[in-house]
Amino acid sequence: MLCRVTRGSIFYEKIREGLPLIILHSMGTDHRSMKAWMEPIFKNKSGYQRVYVDLPAHGYSEIDLTVTSADDILSNVLEFIDEAFPDKEFALLGSSYGGYLAQGIVHVKKERVKKLALLAPAIHRKERNVPEKVILEKNKILLQGLDEDTRTAFETLMVTQNEMNLTCFLEEVQPGRQLANRTFLTSDWREKGYLLSDEPFVDITSLQQQLLLISVNKIIYVAIKIMIF
């Protein structure tokens, strides 16, 4: 489905009925990177309408030339929520940069957000002290068979570089990479507008929503099942 907004459009896919759970993927891919592993969680669970969103400048979501910052990206997503789910409560799940945008959504619409899940979310900091990346497994023969762009992306995103993870990457991540608006994503917006003007939660002393915050990917699947069930 396509929702027209002032500065472009938002593509989204709805599955089943219930409390809308708006799912925001990480940067550089599209909604399929979330759908592939999220849907099995809901196989025997009713009550949630999954709303898989392509972030602005990703997948089939388009932006116009006035979109130059995270504020503009968030504005498109907020307008989509108001258009698609007027006055309705909803839950949010965001991964990486999608998790950062989810924080911005809660900051603006906290009275409508019932639940919030943040999976390794980006944070409101220009300078970050992160541990050195450690590669757990590397199949060099497998990597030699890939074109340079695919190999670089796979090596950047995966610390376990084996055949199983490559299959997942090619089926779930790579299709979105091919659709991403690289003109925008590789522009200077990261230096000039990557962070929101208003730091999320800066003036909020407490939140009433049920919150799931995960920074370790290996436990994401189990933790979400616990939260939902």
Side-chain angles (χ1 to χ4, degrees):
M1 301 178 70
L2 200 64
C3 176
R4 296 291 177 184
V5 294
T6 303
R7 298 183 175 188
S9 63
I10 297 290
F11 176 86
Y12 64 106
E13 180 179 352
K14 293 196 298 186
I15 299 179
R16 303 287 179 87
E17 297 296 328
L19 175 70
L21 172 60
I22 299 173
I23 301 167
L24 307 176
H25 59 82
S26 58
M27 191 178 296
T29 181
D30 67 10
H31 72 282
R32 286 170 287 188
S33 63
M34 302 296 288
K35 180 182 176 183
W37 64 271
M38 284 286 295
E39 276 307 295
I41 297 176
F42 295 92
K43 184 176 181 180
N44 299 309
K45 175 64 177 176
S46 60
Y48 286 90
Q49 180 183 70
R50 282 83 73 196
V51 184
Y52 294 96
V53 175
D54 281 349
L55 297 182
H58 293 76
Y60 296 104
S61 292
E62 298 179 349
I63 58 172
D64 66 21
L65 296 178
T66 66
V67 174
T68 60
S69 67
D71 289 341
D72 300 333
I73 292 173
L74 179 61
S75 176
N76 275 15
V77 177
L78 290 171
E79 187 175 344
F80 154 71
I81 292 173
D82 288 339
E83 288 288 334
F85 307 100
D87 302 321
K88 288 186 67 174
E89 291 185 323
F90 57 90
L92 275 173
L93 187 150
S95 174
S96 190
Y97 198 71
Y100 181 56
L101 293 176
Q103 295 171 59
I105 294 170
V106 175
H107 187 78
V108 176
K109 297 186 177 296
K110 57 182 178 296
E111 70 284 350
R112 291 177 55 192
V113 179
K114 287 199 66 175
K115 295 184 178 183
L116 174 64
L118 302 176
L119 313 182
I123 59 175
H124 194 82
R125 294 289 183 273
K126 275 191 174 182
E127 301 296 332
R128 293 182 293 173
N129 183 14
V130 296
E132 183 179 351
K133 182 177 178 180
V134 177
I135 303 300
L136 302 178
E137 182 180 347
K138 191 182 191 75
N139 186 329
K140 294 183 178 180
I141 296 177
L142 185 71
L143 295 174
Q144 288 173 359
L146 302 176
D147 63 85
E148 183 178 355
D149 178 71
T150 302
R151 182 176 64 252
T152 299
F154 180 66
E155 290 182 304
T156 299
L157 294 173
M158 301 292 180
V159 296
T160 304
Q161 298 165 9
N162 57 25
E163 186 172 1
M164 182 179 71
N165 276 356
L166 177 60
T167 298
C168 291
F169 175 84
L170 293 176
E171 292 178 353
E172 302 168 15
V173 178
Q174 181 68 356
R177 287 191 67 249
Q178 294 174 327
L179 290 176
N181 184 337
R182 297 196 181 191
T183 300
F184 172 77
L185 294 178
T186 59
S187 68
D188 61 359
W189 83 280
R190 291 203 185 198
E191 291 74 34
K192 297 181 178 180
Y194 182 86
L195 298 179
L196 297 167
S197 295
D198 296 325
E199 180 178 354
F201 313 143
V202 68
D203 58 350
I204 298 174
T205 57
S206 65
L207 291 170
Q208 302 303 314
Q209 290 86 351
Q210 182 178 353
L211 170 65
L212 174 66
L213 176 60
I214 304 177
S215 60
V216 182
N217 289 339
K218 288 184 178 180
I219 64 173
I220 284 177
Y221 188 90
V222 174
I224 291 177
K225 290 192 72 172
I226 293 173
M227 178 184 183
I228 290 174
F229 289 93

